[in-house]
Amino acid sequence: MFDLKLIRDTPDHFDSGWKRRGLEPQTPKIIEMDEKRRVLQTGMQELQSKRNDASKKIGMIKSKGGDAAALMQEVAGYKSKIASIEEEEKKCGEELTKLLSTLPNLPDATVPDGTSEEDNKEVRKVGQPKLMNNPKDHVDIGAGLGGMDFETAAKMSGSRFVLLRGGIARLERAIAQFMLDTHTQEHGYTELSVPLLVRDQAVFGTGQLPKFAEDLFKATTGHWLIPTAEVPLTNTVRDSIVPIGDLPLRLTALTHCFRSEAGAAGKDTRGMIRQHQFYKVEMVSITEPEKSEEEHERMTDCAETILKKLDLAFRTVTLCTGDMGFSARKTYDIEVWLPGQNTYREISSCSNCGDFQARRMMARYKKEGDKSTRYVHTLNGSGVAVGRCLIAVLENYQQPDGSVIIPDVLKPYMGGITKLEPSGRSKNA
């Protein structure tokens, strides 16, 4: 979470950072709670010292055949007082930890101030949006191709689920495979197959708990379904000291992601934009602090490369303080052009979390010759969201006759299919 000594030494730094994220000053309460706990700890240590001294005297008195009853009663009193203070100190520590665990990361100085996505700052635009006469959105395209079925999915699972079949299901798989191959073969990421169910400490470590429990799905076993592979990938370094020679660690995984979308009532109810279950290729990097900014730019470029290879127009923006995620210190969002909506929509989010997650996970590294350890920096990014990429391909490669051309880079993954035809037919090369 946060360094308490640093909060005590530089409270203005923390309060000004949290103010940029819309919070009132937090350090007065933190320092007060910390001071109370420290006083209790000092009092407990003093009583323990007195108890130890008294215990030694009891031994000396008994060795000489004397009566140590009074001292023994005094020691019993110390024991009772110590237990009481220990319980109070534990409660105070838990309250302090609870408060700190709900406070977001401090924004980087380069992050623009703002309250919503309207205040995000465009970094660059790549490619020209495809202009079409009366373009269809992915829902209508999918229906015409006979491969996108929301009605049957709703019978099984309710809203915000989809059943894909035939060529569209094959295309989704091709997109995911293409992304994994690009990141592992060209970008130096190591592919992992990870658990989809994790314990409390894993989602606490990456910042989803305790504040965002309602955004997650929980199993009856007490496990949480992962909202993104960021959780298991980042937790691979939990409670460990990473050899500096292993840094940077670059990890990737294709997983289903599960999100309750608790705060998204009424948003993107049509189509596949906002689903309870979806595929995503995730990238995670573990670095030295001095190299995390450089790694952030590199990771963002890796995500952008996917869209460049697919010849999809996009723009990259820096999120403002009010639109940035809880664990991030700086985030780039990549937004792909969707002709069916006539706008750019988020398809990837790449964040530098600094040491925020590492502190929650106790993830450290040690330089050769150093006696002490340091916290690593963690970064995560979509590489990219598979479902949204499927939407972008369908909408950008749609043809007037209702067919969809397969992008060149995906053809090797499509078994000779070069075009998806209406009513589920497909055309081979």
Side-chain angles (χ1 to χ4, degrees):
M1 288 172 285
F2 300 99
D3 185 338
L4 279 170
K5 183 178 184 305
L6 201 56
I7 289 177
R8 290 195 302 269
D9 293 344
T10 59
D12 290 345
H13 169 71
F14 284 86
D15 280 335
S16 62
W18 285 322
K19 182 179 180 180
R20 295 180 64 203
R21 301 197 69 157
L23 297 179
E24 297 295 322
Q26 300 292 318
T27 59
K29 187 175 182 180
I30 293 170
I31 292 171
E32 179 185 351
M33 294 172 71
D34 183 45
E35 185 60 33
K36 179 182 176 181
R37 187 183 64 163
R38 287 152 67 89
V39 168
L40 289 169
Q41 289 172 337
T42 299
M44 188 162 56
Q45 290 168 358
E46 290 174 351
L47 286 174
Q48 288 170 338
S49 178
K50 290 179 180 179
R51 181 194 62 184
N52 293 339
D53 288 344
S55 295
K56 289 178 182 178
K57 290 178 182 177
I58 290 172
M60 293 172 62
I61 291 172
K62 284 186 174 183
S63 67
K64 295 178 181 179
D67 184 3
L71 268 178
M72 290 173 68
Q73 187 173 359
E74 183 180 331
V75 168
Y78 286 142
K79 184 177 180 181
S80 177
K81 288 179 181 179
I82 289 170
S84 176
I85 293 176
E86 190 173 31
E87 181 64 27
E88 189 177 358
E89 189 273 339
K90 180 183 176 183
K91 182 179 178 181
C92 186
E94 288 173 348
E95 290 175 353
L96 179 57
T97 298
K98 183 178 179 180
L99 171 60
L100 290 171
S101 69
T102 61
L103 294 174
N105 202 351
L106 301 182
D108 187 78
T110 61
V111 172
D113 290 332
T115 58
S116 71
E117 62 182 27
E118 302 300 322
D119 300 311
N120 296 339
K121 300 298 182 185
E122 185 175 289
V123 177
R124 55 186 163 267
K125 275 184 178 176
V126 177
Q128 290 296 320
K130 293 183 179 179
L131 301 178
M132 304 176 184
N133 292 323
N134 301 316
K136 295 178 181 179
D137 71 4
H138 68 283
V139 178
D140 291 334
I141 296 169
L145 294 172
M148 193 175 290
D149 188 347
F150 295 96
E151 188 174 325
T152 301
K155 290 177 183 178
M156 294 185 282
S157 306
S159 62
R160 298 191 188 274
F161 289 91
V162 67
L163 187 152
L164 303 180
R165 59 167 56 92
I168 292 183
R170 176 73 180 257
L171 180 58
E172 181 186 50
R173 176 160 55 95
I175 289 170
Q177 188 64 53
F178 157 68
M179 291 177 187
L180 280 176
D181 285 352
T182 301
H183 293 317
T184 56
Q185 296 173 15
E186 298 181 22
H187 297 155
Y189 284 84
T190 299
E191 181 180 355
L192 272 64
S193 178
V194 297
L196 302 183
L197 292 166
V198 294
R199 295 176 174 172
D200 288 0
Q201 60 264 36
V203 275
F204 175 85
T206 45
Q208 285 82 14
L209 287 185
K211 197 168 184 180
F212 303 102
E214 66 172 9
D215 294 331
L216 308 175
F217 286 111
K218 192 171 188 179
T220 55
T221 59
H223 291 86
W224 300 88
L225 278 72
I226 63 168
T228 163
E230 169 200 345
V231 177
L233 289 177
T234 308
N235 272 274
T236 57
V237 294
R238 178 184 184 84
D239 291 327
S240 63
I241 300 174
V242 183
I244 191 169
D246 291 348
L247 299 178
L249 286 173
R250 296 185 178 121
L251 312 172
T252 188
L254 166 68
T255 66
H256 270 116
C257 304
F258 304 91
R259 299 185 186 177
S260 72
E261 298 292 351
K267 294 180 181 178
D268 297 313
T269 55
R270 177 176 166 83
M272 289 180 59
I273 289 287
R274 200 177 294 273
Q275 299 271 282
H276 288 312
Q277 172 187 315
F278 56 93
Y279 281 115
K280 183 154 69 80
V281 172
E282 186 74 3
M283 302 177 291
V284 160
S285 293
I286 313 296
T287 74
E288 298 174 63
E290 295 81 5
K291 297 181 179 179
S292 66
E293 290 184 16
E294 176 186 344
E295 187 69 18
H296 192 199
E297 300 297 328
R298 183 188 189 276
M299 176 179 284
T300 304
D301 181 67
C302 290
E304 290 179 347
T305 296
I306 297 296
L307 303 183
K308 290 176 182 177
K309 285 177 175 286
L310 289 166
D311 195 23
L312 296 172
F314 65 90
R315 70 174 193 150
T316 300
V317 300
T318 305
L319 297 193
C320 71
T321 52
D323 198 30
M324 195 164 59
F326 179 80
S327 298
R329 63 187 292 184
K330 184 175 183 178
T331 299
Y332 292 121
D333 265 12
I334 304 171
E335 301 174 348
V336 69
W337 176 256
L338 298 182
Q341 295 192 26
N342 194 39
T343 191
Y344 291 95
R345 293 300 303 265
E346 178 200 339
I347 194 170
S348 173
S349 192
C350 297
S351 298
N352 184 353
C353 298
D355 64 2
F356 183 82
Q357 293 177 327
R359 288 180 178 276
R360 296 168 79 101
M361 296 187 304
M362 287 302 291
R364 295 146 293 161
Y365 77 102
K366 191 174 185 180
K367 286 188 174 182
E368 194 171 331
D370 284 1
K371 293 183 179 179
S372 59
T373 60
R374 298 177 66 191
Y375 290 104
V376 297
H377 277 197
T378 63
L379 303 94
N380 62 80
S382 313
V384 295
V386 177
R388 292 197 178 190
C389 192
L390 173 65
I391 292 169
V393 169
L394 291 175
E395 293 194 8
N396 281 276
Y397 284 88
Q398 63 179 296
Q399 304 300 305
D401 64 356
S403 64
V404 174
I405 301 295
I406 302 300
D408 288 343
V409 292
L410 298 181
K411 288 177 181 176
Y413 302 94
M414 289 296 290
I417 298 172
T418 60
K419 180 190 287 190
L420 302 183
E421 301 278 8
S423 300
R425 300 188 306 273
S426 59
K427 183 177 180 180
N428 292 353

PDB file of all heavy atoms in Angstrom, residues 241-263:
ATOM      1  N   ILE A 241      11.284 -12.559  -3.522  1.00  0.00           N
ATOM      2  CA  ILE A 241      12.365 -11.642  -3.884  1.00  0.00           C
ATOM      3  C   ILE A 241      12.874 -12.090  -5.245  1.00  0.00           C
ATOM      4  O   ILE A 241      13.481 -13.156  -5.380  1.00  0.00           O
ATOM      5  CB  ILE A 241      13.492 -11.661  -2.834  1.00  0.00           C
ATOM      6  CG1 ILE A 241      12.953 -11.241  -1.464  1.00  0.00           C
ATOM      7  CG2 ILE A 241      14.624 -10.741  -3.264  1.00  0.00           C
ATOM      8  CD1 ILE A 241      13.959 -11.371  -0.334  1.00  0.00           C
ATOM      9  N   VAL A 242      12.607 -11.290  -6.265  1.00  0.00           N
ATOM     10  CA  VAL A 242      12.947 -11.653  -7.639  1.00  0.00           C
ATOM     11  C   VAL A 242      14.425 -11.346  -7.887  1.00  0.00           C
ATOM     12  O   VAL A 242      14.876 -10.231  -7.606  1.00  0.00           O
ATOM     13  CB  VAL A 242      12.072 -10.873  -8.647  1.00  0.00           C
ATOM     14  CG1 VAL A 242      12.374 -11.317 -10.073  1.00  0.00           C
ATOM     15  CG2 VAL A 242      10.588 -11.054  -8.333  1.00  0.00           C
ATOM     16  N   PRO A 243      15.184 -12.302  -8.392  1.00  0.00           N
ATOM     17  CA  PRO A 243      16.589 -11.999  -8.732  1.00  0.00           C
ATOM     18  C   PRO A 243      16.646 -10.879  -9.765  1.00  0.00           C
ATOM     19  O   PRO A 243      15.885 -10.886 -10.736  1.00  0.00           O
ATOM     20  CB  PRO A 243      17.094 -13.319  -9.324  1.00  0.00           C
ATOM     21  CG  PRO A 243      16.180 -14.365  -8.772  1.00  0.00           C
ATOM     22  CD  PRO A 243      14.839 -13.713  -8.649  1.00  0.00           C
ATOM     23  N   ILE A 244      17.522  -9.920  -9.567  1.00  0.00           N
ATOM     24  CA  ILE A 244      17.566  -8.772 -10.471  1.00  0.00           C
ATOM     25  C   ILE A 244      17.889  -9.205 -11.899  1.00  0.00           C
ATOM     26  O   ILE A 244      17.455  -8.557 -12.868  1.00  0.00           O
ATOM     27  CB  ILE A 244      18.591  -7.720  -9.978  1.00  0.00           C
ATOM     28  CG1 ILE A 244      18.426  -6.421 -10.779  1.00  0.00           C
ATOM     29  CG2 ILE A 244      20.009  -8.257 -10.053  1.00  0.00           C
ATOM     30  CD1 ILE A 244      19.180  -5.255 -10.218  1.00  0.00           C
ATOM     31  N   GLY A 245      18.589 -10.313 -12.046  1.00  0.00           N
ATOM     32  CA  GLY A 245      18.898 -10.805 -13.383  1.00  0.00           C
ATOM     33  C   GLY A 245      17.678 -11.271 -14.153  1.00  0.00           C
ATOM     34  O   GLY A 245      17.719 -11.400 -15.378  1.00  0.00           O
ATOM     35  N   ASP A 246      16.567 -11.517 -13.429  1.00  0.00           N
ATOM     36  CA  ASP A 246      15.328 -11.956 -14.080  1.00  0.00           C
ATOM     37  C   ASP A 246      14.467 -10.788 -14.544  1.00  0.00           C
ATOM     38  O   ASP A 246      13.459 -10.994 -15.224  1.00  0.00           O
ATOM     39  CB  ASP A 246      14.507 -12.830 -13.131  1.00  0.00           C
ATOM     40  CG  ASP A 246      15.157 -14.174 -12.862  1.00  0.00           C
ATOM     41  OD1 ASP A 246      16.121 -14.518 -13.574  1.00  0.00           O
ATOM     42  OD2 ASP A 246      14.700 -14.875 -11.939  1.00  0.00           O
ATOM     43  N   LEU A 247      14.842  -9.577 -14.143  1.00  0.00           N
ATOM     44  CA  LEU A 247      14.041  -8.399 -14.512  1.00  0.00           C
ATOM     45  C   LEU A 247      14.515  -7.810 -15.838  1.00  0.00           C
ATOM     46  O   LEU A 247      15.708  -7.798 -16.117  1.00  0.00           O
ATOM     47  CB  LEU A 247      14.134  -7.335 -13.408  1.00  0.00           C
ATOM     48  CG  LEU A 247      13.612  -7.766 -12.034  1.00  0.00           C
ATOM     49  CD1 LEU A 247      13.804  -6.630 -11.020  1.00  0.00           C
ATOM     50  CD2 LEU A 247      12.151  -8.171 -12.086  1.00  0.00           C
ATOM     51  N   PRO A 248      13.605  -7.318 -16.673  1.00  0.00           N
ATOM     52  CA  PRO A 248      12.159  -7.325 -16.434  1.00  0.00           C
ATOM     53  C   PRO A 248      11.540  -8.680 -16.744  1.00  0.00           C
ATOM     54  O   PRO A 248      11.962  -9.376 -17.672  1.00  0.00           O
ATOM     55  CB  PRO A 248      11.655  -6.277 -17.424  1.00  0.00           C
ATOM     56  CG  PRO A 248      12.622  -6.361 -18.575  1.00  0.00           C
ATOM     57  CD  PRO A 248      13.953  -6.645 -17.953  1.00  0.00           C
ATOM     58  N   LEU A 249      10.526  -9.038 -15.954  1.00  0.00           N
ATOM     59  CA  LEU A 249       9.692 -10.190 -16.274  1.00  0.00           C
ATOM     60  C   LEU A 249       8.558  -9.704 -17.172  1.00  0.00           C
ATOM     61  O   LEU A 249       7.871  -8.735 -16.836  1.00  0.00           O
ATOM     62  CB  LEU A 249       9.093 -10.792 -14.998  1.00  0.00           C
ATOM     63  CG  LEU A 249      10.019 -11.594 -14.078  1.00  0.00           C
ATOM     64  CD1 LEU A 249       9.275 -11.950 -12.799  1.00  0.00           C
ATOM     65  CD2 LEU A 249      10.503 -12.858 -14.773  1.00  0.00           C
ATOM     66  N   ARG A 250       8.370 -10.364 -18.302  1.00  0.00           N
ATOM     67  CA  ARG A 250       7.269  -9.996 -19.207  1.00  0.00           C
ATOM     68  C   ARG A 250       6.419 -11.237 -19.422  1.00  0.00           C
ATOM     69  O   ARG A 250       6.883 -12.232 -19.991  1.00  0.00           O
ATOM     70  CB  ARG A 250       7.824  -9.465 -20.537  1.00  0.00           C
ATOM     71  CG  ARG A 250       8.619  -8.174 -20.377  1.00  0.00           C
ATOM     72  CD  ARG A 250       9.067  -7.598 -21.701  1.00  0.00           C
ATOM     73  NE  ARG A 250       9.777  -6.339 -21.508  1.00  0.00           N
ATOM     74  CZ  ARG A 250      11.026  -6.115 -21.889  1.00  0.00           C
ATOM     75  NH1 ARG A 250      11.715  -7.060 -22.515  1.00  0.00           N
ATOM     76  NH2 ARG A 250      11.596  -4.938 -21.670  1.00  0.00           N
ATOM     77  N   LEU A 251       5.180 -11.176 -18.959  1.00  0.00           N
ATOM     78  CA  LEU A 251       4.287 -12.320 -18.951  1.00  0.00           C
ATOM     79  C   LEU A 251       3.009 -12.013 -19.724  1.00  0.00           C
ATOM     80  O   LEU A 251       2.531 -10.871 -19.720  1.00  0.00           O
ATOM     81  CB  LEU A 251       3.929 -12.702 -17.512  1.00  0.00           C
ATOM     82  CG  LEU A 251       5.098 -12.823 -16.529  1.00  0.00           C
ATOM     83  CD1 LEU A 251       4.578 -13.020 -15.112  1.00  0.00           C
ATOM     84  CD2 LEU A 251       6.026 -13.971 -16.934  1.00  0.00           C
ATOM     85  N   THR A 252       2.442 -13.026 -20.363  1.00  0.00           N
ATOM     86  CA  THR A 252       1.182 -12.835 -21.082  1.00  0.00           C
ATOM     87  C   THR A 252       0.327 -14.080 -20.932  1.00  0.00           C
ATOM     88  O   THR A 252       0.832 -15.188 -20.708  1.00  0.00           O
ATOM     89  CB  THR A 252       1.427 -12.523 -22.575  1.00  0.00           C
ATOM     90  OG1 THR A 252       0.184 -12.152 -23.188  1.00  0.00           O
ATOM     91  CG2 THR A 252       2.004 -13.720 -23.313  1.00  0.00           C
ATOM     92  N   ALA A 253      -0.991 -13.892 -21.049  1.00  0.00           N
ATOM     93  CA  ALA A 253      -1.923 -15.013 -20.959  1.00  0.00           C
ATOM     94  C   ALA A 253      -3.213 -14.657 -21.666  1.00  0.00           C
ATOM     95  O   ALA A 253      -3.645 -13.495 -21.666  1.00  0.00           O
ATOM     96  CB  ALA A 253      -2.209 -15.368 -19.498  1.00  0.00           C
ATOM     97  N   LEU A 254      -3.817 -15.675 -22.254  1.00  0.00           N
ATOM     98  CA  LEU A 254      -5.177 -15.560 -22.793  1.00  0.00           C
ATOM     99  C   LEU A 254      -6.105 -16.232 -21.803  1.00  0.00           C
ATOM    100  O   LEU A 254      -5.930 -17.415 -21.486  1.00  0.00           O
ATOM    101  CB  LEU A 254      -5.272 -16.251 -24.154  1.00  0.00           C
ATOM    102  CG  LEU A 254      -6.701 -16.501 -24.678  1.00  0.00           C
ATOM    103  CD1 LEU A 254      -7.391 -15.180 -25.009  1.00  0.00           C
ATOM    104  CD2 LEU A 254      -6.681 -17.433 -25.892  1.00  0.00           C
ATOM    105  N   THR A 255      -7.070 -15.490 -21.288  1.00  0.00           N
ATOM    106  CA  THR A 255      -8.025 -16.070 -20.340  1.00  0.00           C
ATOM    107  C   THR A 255      -9.416 -15.518 -20.592  1.00  0.00           C
ATOM    108  O   THR A 255      -9.594 -14.473 -21.217  1.00  0.00           O
ATOM    109  CB  THR A 255      -7.673 -15.717 -18.874  1.00  0.00           C
ATOM    110  OG1 THR A 255      -7.825 -14.303 -18.669  1.00  0.00           O
ATOM    111  CG2 THR A 255      -6.270 -16.152 -18.515  1.00  0.00           C
ATOM    112  N   HIS A 256     -10.398 -16.242 -20.082  1.00  0.00           N
ATOM    113  CA  HIS A 256     -11.700 -15.632 -19.883  1.00  0.00           C
ATOM    114  C   HIS A 256     -11.571 -14.632 -18.735  1.00  0.00           C
ATOM    115  O   HIS A 256     -10.790 -14.827 -17.803  1.00  0.00           O
ATOM    116  CB  HIS A 256     -12.746 -16.694 -19.502  1.00  0.00           C
ATOM    117  CG  HIS A 256     -13.436 -17.281 -20.690  1.00  0.00           C
ATOM    118  ND1 HIS A 256     -13.335 -18.617 -21.030  1.00  0.00           N
ATOM    119  CD2 HIS A 256     -14.258 -16.725 -21.621  1.00  0.00           C
ATOM    120  CE1 HIS A 256     -14.053 -18.848 -22.105  1.00  0.00           C
ATOM    121  NE2 HIS A 256     -14.611 -17.720 -22.496  1.00  0.00           N
ATOM    122  N   CYS A 257     -12.326 -13.562 -18.811  1.00  0.00           N
ATOM    123  CA  CYS A 257     -12.406 -12.573 -17.746  1.00  0.00           C
ATOM    124  C   CYS A 257     -13.866 -12.469 -17.316  1.00  0.00           C
ATOM    125  O   CYS A 257     -14.775 -12.568 -18.153  1.00  0.00           O
ATOM    126  CB  CYS A 257     -11.901 -11.214 -18.227  1.00  0.00           C
ATOM    127  SG  CYS A 257     -10.219 -11.241 -18.885  1.00  0.00           S
ATOM    128  N   PHE A 258     -14.099 -12.261 -16.027  1.00  0.00           N
ATOM    129  CA  PHE A 258     -15.458 -12.239 -15.492  1.00  0.00           C
ATOM    130  C   PHE A 258     -15.677 -10.951 -14.702  1.00  0.00           C
ATOM    131  O   PHE A 258     -14.947 -10.677 -13.751  1.00  0.00           O
ATOM    132  CB  PHE A 258     -15.681 -13.452 -14.590  1.00  0.00           C
ATOM    133  CG  PHE A 258     -15.403 -14.763 -15.269  1.00  0.00           C
ATOM    134  CD1 PHE A 258     -14.136 -15.338 -15.209  1.00  0.00           C
ATOM    135  CD2 PHE A 258     -16.393 -15.416 -15.972  1.00  0.00           C
ATOM    136  CE1 PHE A 258     -13.865 -16.547 -15.832  1.00  0.00           C
ATOM    137  CE2 PHE A 258     -16.133 -16.632 -16.601  1.00  0.00           C
ATOM    138  CZ  PHE A 258     -14.872 -17.186 -16.541  1.00  0.00           C
ATOM    139  N   ARG A 259     -16.679 -10.189 -15.091  1.00  0.00           N
ATOM    140  CA  ARG A 259     -16.960  -8.916 -14.415  1.00  0.00           C
ATOM    141  C   ARG A 259     -18.463  -8.752 -14.223  1.00  0.00           C
ATOM    142  O   ARG A 259     -19.237  -8.979 -15.149  1.00  0.00           O
ATOM    143  CB  ARG A 259     -16.399  -7.749 -15.218  1.00  0.00           C
ATOM    144  CG  ARG A 259     -14.882  -7.835 -15.370  1.00  0.00           C
ATOM    145  CD  ARG A 259     -14.282  -6.637 -16.051  1.00  0.00           C
ATOM    146  NE  ARG A 259     -12.858  -6.847 -16.276  1.00  0.00           N
ATOM    147  CZ  ARG A 259     -12.066  -5.986 -16.919  1.00  0.00           C
ATOM    148  NH1 ARG A 259     -12.572  -4.860 -17.403  1.00  0.00           N
ATOM    149  NH2 ARG A 259     -10.779  -6.249 -17.086  1.00  0.00           N
ATOM    150  N   SER A 260     -18.833  -8.330 -13.030  1.00  0.00           N
ATOM    151  CA  SER A 260     -20.257  -8.173 -12.747  1.00  0.00           C
ATOM    152  C   SER A 260     -20.850  -6.936 -13.411  1.00  0.00           C
ATOM    153  O   SER A 260     -22.052  -6.844 -13.594  1.00  0.00           O
ATOM    154  CB  SER A 260     -20.471  -8.077 -11.227  1.00  0.00           C
ATOM    155  OG  SER A 260     -20.004  -6.826 -10.730  1.00  0.00           O
ATOM    156  N   GLU A 261     -19.971  -5.971 -13.787  1.00  0.00           N
ATOM    157  CA  GLU A 261     -20.419  -4.714 -14.380  1.00  0.00           C
ATOM    158  C   GLU A 261     -21.468  -4.053 -13.485  1.00  0.00           C
ATOM    159  O   GLU A 261     -22.485  -3.525 -13.949  1.00  0.00           O
ATOM    160  CB  GLU A 261     -20.973  -4.948 -15.792  1.00  0.00           C
ATOM    161  CG  GLU A 261     -19.958  -5.506 -16.779  1.00  0.00           C
ATOM    162  CD  GLU A 261     -18.852  -4.525 -17.129  1.00  0.00           C
ATOM    163  OE1 GLU A 261     -18.940  -3.343 -16.743  1.00  0.00           O
ATOM    164  OE2 GLU A 261     -17.881  -4.939 -17.787  1.00  0.00           O
ATOM    165  N   ALA A 262     -21.197  -4.083 -12.159  1.00  0.00           N
ATOM    166  CA  ALA A 262     -22.160  -3.559 -11.190  1.00  0.00           C
ATOM    167  C   ALA A 262     -22.466  -2.084 -11.411  1.00  0.00           C
ATOM    168  O   ALA A 262     -23.592  -1.637 -11.193  1.00  0.00           O
ATOM    169  CB  ALA A 262     -21.625  -3.769  -9.774  1.00  0.00           C
ATOM    170  N   GLY A 263     -21.475  -1.328 -11.861  1.00  0.00           N
ATOM    171  CA  GLY A 263     -21.698   0.105 -12.049  1.00  0.00           C
ATOM    172  C   GLY A 263     -22.025   0.487 -13.473  1.00  0.00           C
ATOM    173  O   GLY A 263     -21.957   1.658 -13.833  1.00  0.00           O
TER     174      GLY A 263
END
